[in-house]
Amino acid sequence: MYIMDTAGNLKTSSIELDLDRPNIEDYLPSGSSIPEPRGKLRLRDLLDISPTLTEAAGAIVDDSFTRCFKSNPPEPWNWNVYLFPLWCSGVMIRYGILFPVRVLVLIIGWIIFFSPYIPVHFLLKGHDKMRKKIERCLLELICMFFVASWTGVVKYHGPRPSIRPKQVFVSNHTSMIDFVILEQMTAFAVIMQKHPGWVGLLQSTILESARCIWFNRAEAKDREIVAKKLRDHVQEADNNPLLIFPEGTCVSNHYTVMFKKGAFELDSTVCPIAIKYNKIFVDAFWNSRKQSFTKHLLQLMTSWAVVCDVWYLEPQNLRPGETPVEFAERVRDIISVRAGLKKVPWDGYLKYSRPSPKHRERKQQSFAESVLRCLQEK
């Protein structure tokens, strides 16, 4: 609706504008209403009682969620006439010499791996104990070749994990290579997202023999199935030690996001593992939304080296009166402190989906209630 002002100009009616505005009373508890302020209400009063505005401003200034899943490109250092020839020489060495040698190492590794693996896997099916032991050794061997193909320099701290019933290992997660780095020391059974392509082929063949557990993040029913498989796995002493990345997704190696509580509801001893990569040669973070794992491997194989530290930390148990969520946060604290990572209060699954309408409604209701309290005080 339009009205004519004294100067003859058309203006939108205030009634029509009011219809487009959200009604704050819709988000108040039933039976509540906005009272008339008893005193003069200033703008600063609303700002002071609005943590929502503070949170929004903080998100703009310091967007820690986006940075958790963002790979930072290396800073260029070939910016003058003295450094540029050195940079060109480095590129030629990495791509012309190191990369072909590393590809050859990986090919030799696969040949050595498959030569005994195929006969052992198919001819020793009646001797499960011996077959599992040999396959564990071969799995560790091929992971060693993978690490060698990156010129991996890995320093392990603490006692090597042993095979015991009712224990689970949890670690922060930067890339799929976390599993390879840990697997070369101990043949873990890992819980992992099911991947397509050649990675999925390895999951359904070679890693299947290690009793690994796969899930599809998009399938809600997979959660119950996986939870049952986890409980059954930790009860058997002969199974490979169970390795879980409770963040549920790859996170930049500067942060840790919320740990899922599933790994901490198994009534088992939790053994934390902290992994910290040195970015001096390459950023090991795998941004799976922008880069395939094949390209990620090529990036590692054309770098100078992958350097990291791995700490096997003191085993932890659920304390009396402690909930699984509190237990998960306590273990996350231990890993974050040891690896020098910053804790952020984000759910890693938000990386793959937008916030639910219920989450937005809770925020809206919280804001409406804060405004109501302010008006009542005035």
Side-chain angles (χ1 to χ4, degrees), residues 1-2 22 34 67 71 89 105 110 119 139 182 192 207 249 255 262 271 273-274 290 303 305 309 346 361:
M1 181 184 299
Y2 295 91
I34 301 177
R67 289 193 293 177
S71 53
S89 300
V105 168
W110 280 116
L139 192 56
L182 297 176
M192 188 186 297
L207 295 180
T249 186
Y255 302 92
C271 305
I273 302 176
K290 294 185 177 181
S303 67
D309 287 271
W346 299 114
E361 289 173 4

Side-chain angles (χ1 to χ4, degrees), residues 213-224:
I213 301 172
W214 317 119
F215 68 93
N216 188 349
R217 192 177 283 110
E219 295 290 338
K221 64 180 181 180
D222 277 8
R223 298 179 183 179
E224 297 180 2

Side-chain angles (χ1 to χ4, degrees), residues 78-202:
N78 56 342
W79 47 270
N80 65 22
V81 68
Y82 305 106
L83 296 176
F84 185 73
L86 295 176
W87 178 81
C88 292
S89 300
V91 170
M92 293 176 62
I93 293 173
R94 287 189 291 115
Y95 285 86
I97 300 177
L98 293 181
F99 179 63
V101 170
R102 290 167 175 173
V103 171
L104 181 62
V105 168
L106 200 55
I107 293 173
I108 293 174
W110 280 116
I111 294 173
I112 295 175
F113 171 80
F114 278 117
S115 297
Y117 178 83
I118 294 176
V120 165
H121 184 73
F122 291 101
L123 299 180
L124 293 181
K125 285 195 173 182
H127 306 79
D128 289 345
K129 191 172 182 179
M130 180 183 297
R131 179 172 59 86
K132 286 182 179 180
K133 185 175 181 180
I134 297 175
E135 287 178 348
R136 285 170 182 166
C137 295
L138 291 175
L139 192 56
E140 294 175 7
L141 177 66
I142 189 59
C143 288
M144 290 180 184
F145 277 102
F146 263 105
V147 175
S149 70
W150 320 321
T151 315
V153 182
V154 186
K155 188 174 183 180
Y156 296 90
H157 311 265
R160 180 175 175 173
S162 57
I163 301 177
R164 297 177 184 175
K166 300 196 71 174
Q167 71 173 5
V168 57
F169 292 82
V170 298
S171 172
N172 60 302
H173 195 27
T174 304
S175 168
M176 203 187 301
I177 70 169
D178 300 337
F179 166 70
V180 179
I181 287 173
L182 297 176
E183 195 79 3
Q184 73 165 344
M185 291 294 291
T186 304
F188 288 105
V190 68
I191 173 173
M192 188 186 297
Q193 163 77 20
K194 182 67 176 177
H195 291 273
W198 66 272
V199 177
L201 179 62
L202 294 182

